[in-house]
Amino acid sequence: RVLILDFGSQFTQLIARRVREAGVYSEIHPCNVDPERVKAFKPSALILSGGPSSVLEGGCPELNMEYLEMGIPVLGICYGMQLLAHNLGGRVVASTDREYGRAQFYAQNDSILFDGVEDKDDLTVWMSHGDRVEALPDGFVPMGKSDSIEFAAMGNVEKKIYALQFHPEVAHTTDGSLIIQNFLFKVAGLKATWSMSSFVDTTIEALKEQVGDAKVVLGLSGGIDSTVAAVMLHKAIGKNLHCIFVDNGLLRMGEREEVVGFLAEHFDLNVKMVDASQEFLADLKGVEDPERKRKLIGYKFIEVFDREAKAIEGVKFLGQGTLYPDVIESESFKGPSAVIKSHHNVGGLPEKMNLKLVEPLRELFKDEVRRAAYELGLPEHIIWRQPFPGPGLSIRVIGEVTEERLQILRLADRIVQNEMLASDWYRKVWQGFAVLLPLKTVGVMGDDRTYENVIALRIVDSLDAMTADWSRLPSELLARMSNRIIREVKGVNRVVLDISSKPPSTIEWE
Ligand code: XMP
């Protein structure tokens, strides 16, 4: 097990990815985590991430020196290297110019870290730093330099403490994964034992242990996360898992049957379908403001779910499909970022319900959840479902949400989904959907003037929804979507394409 201490670098998650890809379990903790938690984790190696601070400035995040006394191998990256140098008696100075981007690195002293790296005498690496190490601490030897810095890597072989000024975790560093693997396997002597199938098995065993013969209630949304969490819990505790699916009236066409029907049928899951659409639509009546819509839907969801859960006797746990990025986000060293949109999933539920939480996916990244879904035997159409927001179609009907406008959007959206599936574009894009605009425009149909609604197509590529760009779909495919929507959906006479990237736009329109 590897512990990664986060000093605020935007790449910290990538370090965890690389370590897990190597088959070693890792967790990220903020650098100011309670030292007792670090000891309880019993790490076999420690990695110190980069970060935006400078060790030369007051108030910079510190390294608890007790960690270096645990006698485990340590790898410091960027700010992590400066911290080690600074704390162990070396000297760090400010560089006149910040080095950012590609650089050449030249390995020295045959360090075990660079074993097998092909171009170690002239390696392309990714740098991002202001300060640099000018004098090494006692016991350290230089292990590489770059064109602008003398000590771009250092190590104390005896104590197994190594440090790199560049970022091995980013893809731009050639053989960066191999360098990390050298640290894990050759320096720390770890074994590659973490795999998805072992993860699934051990998690199911752990769930049995945690829950015993108590009942668990879980909100099934139809998305991959809650689905995988439900299937794992079902394997662990069977009929003691009670799933609740709330139909908020804001779902896409056929969604309820597609997901929930399937799960109940093929996985024998205990699912209660609650049709609360009238309640949600009543709350949304006359509401146009996006944040207000999101909040109302969030409150209503909690109310309905709580009511339904209370109707089941003897529930002790609330199951959730929380993923690792959500966990890190809420514990992040960087603190909360500005609220752009108040995301609604089941936020607020745990506080309200006074149940213990059980979160089988807390340790996984999104693509790892997909791999877990494969292990569990879920079908492709569930594994590859595109993300769908908690507030559903309400944030795609711009302006007031009415049953009639929802129906127009559902019909248009089904055409977008079908055309993407038929052309094999469904899996190539991150998300593709229709948005109904709150305006009418003039058209001509036959000899008659029309005055009808506009549908926008929003189809984007993304890796993690943090940034996105509009997908360059073939124009014939776009033409087919547009023609079919105007021909088949009554009340629409115009289709437009959204060609904005995120940032500065967002993926959803509200
Ligand atoms: P934005 O619009 O912020 O969306 O660029 C980023 C991603 O998040 C999805 N999204 C949500 N997902 N609850 C969710 O579970 C929400 O309230 C929510 N709002 C947006 C959106 O579809 C995109 O994938």
Side-chain angles (χ1 to χ4, degrees), residues 226-236 241 263 267 269 376 378:
S226 63
T227 304
V228 170
V231 172
M232 275 174 130
L233 272 162
H234 176 72
K235 289 204 186 257
L241 172 67
L263 284 177
F267 283 84
L269 238 60
L376 291 163
L378 286 163

Side-chain angles (χ1 to χ4, degrees), residues 76-113:
I77 294 173
C78 194
Y79 182 75
M81 167 159 178
Q82 291 154 12
L83 269 175
L84 288 170
H86 185 69
N87 282 295
L88 294 171
R91 192 167 64 248
V92 177
V93 296
S95 298
T96 37
D97 53 332
R98 268 180 68 87
E99 200 176 13
Y100 190 83
R102 261 172 238 279
Q104 293 310 115
F105 171 86
Y106 315 98
Q108 294 165 294
N109 282 328
D110 267 339
S111 167
I112 198 171
L113 275 188

Side-chain angles (χ1 to χ4, degrees), residues 112-402:
I112 198 171
L113 275 188
F114 305 107
D115 261 8
V117 173
E118 209 156 297
D119 296 318
K120 63 181 176 185
D121 302 325
D122 188 3
L123 185 71
T124 302
V125 300
W126 188 262
M127 292 275 192
S128 157
H129 64 98
D131 299 344
R132 65 190 159 82
V133 174
E134 199 181 57
L136 300 183
D138 278 349
F140 280 75
V141 293
M143 293 187 165
K145 56 186 173 187
S146 74
D147 290 326
S148 60
I149 41 181
E150 184 60 24
F151 303 120
M154 65 176 193
N156 180 328
V157 178
E158 192 193 335
K159 294 204 160 133
K160 299 192 178 182
I161 300 178
Y162 291 79
L164 304 168
Q165 185 56 63
F166 62 86
H167 289 273
E169 68 275 24
V170 307
H172 304 282
T173 294
T174 311
D175 276 342
S177 297
L178 182 55
I179 297 170
I180 290 175
Q181 286 169 27
N182 283 338
F183 172 71
L184 299 172
F185 302 136
K186 297 194 170 164
V187 175
L190 290 160
K191 299 265 179 293
T193 50
W194 197 83
S195 70
M196 192 47 70
S197 64
S198 68
F199 173 82
V200 168
D201 294 344
T202 51
T203 304
I204 291 172
E205 284 311 308
L207 288 172
K208 280 185 194 160
E209 183 100 344
Q210 184 188 359
V211 176
D213 47 22
K215 283 187 190 162
V216 177
V217 63
L218 177 140
L220 210 50
S221 71
I224 175 100
D225 305 342
S226 63
T227 304
V228 170
V231 172
M232 275 174 130
L233 272 162
H234 176 72
K235 289 204 186 257
I237 62 168
K239 288 288 175 196
N240 274 343
L241 172 67
H242 292 256
C243 300
I244 296 176
F245 180 89
V246 177
D247 182 348
N248 56 13
L250 306 166
L251 303 172
R252 287 166 296 183
M253 197 166 282
E255 185 144 28
R256 171 166 140 166
E257 296 70 27
E258 194 180 312
V259 180
V260 181
F262 180 88
L263 284 177
E265 203 172 308
H266 292 261
F267 283 84
D268 194 24
L269 238 60
N270 199 347
V271 185
K272 169 141 194 234
M273 183 94 72
V274 183
D275 186 350
S277 42
Q278 291 316 317
E279 286 181 62
F280 280 87
L281 290 181
D283 276 12
L284 288 170
K285 203 165 162 42
V287 179
E288 292 183 5
D289 178 65
E291 271 307 287
R292 186 94 198 107
K293 286 184 191 172
R294 285 174 171 272
K295 293 244 159 68
L296 284 172
I297 292 168
Y299 298 145
K300 183 51 92 186
F301 179 84
I302 292 177
E303 185 192 315
V304 174
F305 189 87
D306 187 46
R307 185 173 74 210
E308 294 298 326
K310 287 211 170 100
I312 306 166
E313 214 164 297
V315 172
K316 290 263 161 38
F317 289 90
L318 173 67
Q320 288 197 313
T322 319
L323 299 194
Y324 193 45
D326 312 329
V327 177
I328 313 178
E329 189 66 25
S330 59
E331 292 189 351
S332 169
F333 170 61
K334 281 176 281 185
S337 45
V339 175
I340 310 290
K341 299 175 183 181
S342 49
H343 271 214
H344 146 76
N345 293 320
V346 278
L349 256 188
E351 296 79 7
K352 160 113 188 165
M353 298 189 65
N354 197 16
L355 295 173
K356 281 187 255 176
L357 278 179
V358 43
E359 300 177 304
L361 311 181
R362 254 181 95 80
E363 288 154 10
L364 301 186
F365 288 98
K366 190 87 182 178
D367 60 317
E368 291 177 325
V369 176
R370 292 213 161 106
R371 296 217 314 272
Y374 268 115
E375 292 292 334
L376 291 163
L378 286 163
E380 301 250 328
H381 76 268
I382 289 192
I383 296 176
W384 289 104
R385 272 168 67 84
Q386 292 175 356
F388 185 65
L393 297 182
S394 78
I395 53 169
R396 297 180 182 171
V397 170
I398 310 304
E400 193 188 353
V401 181
T402 62

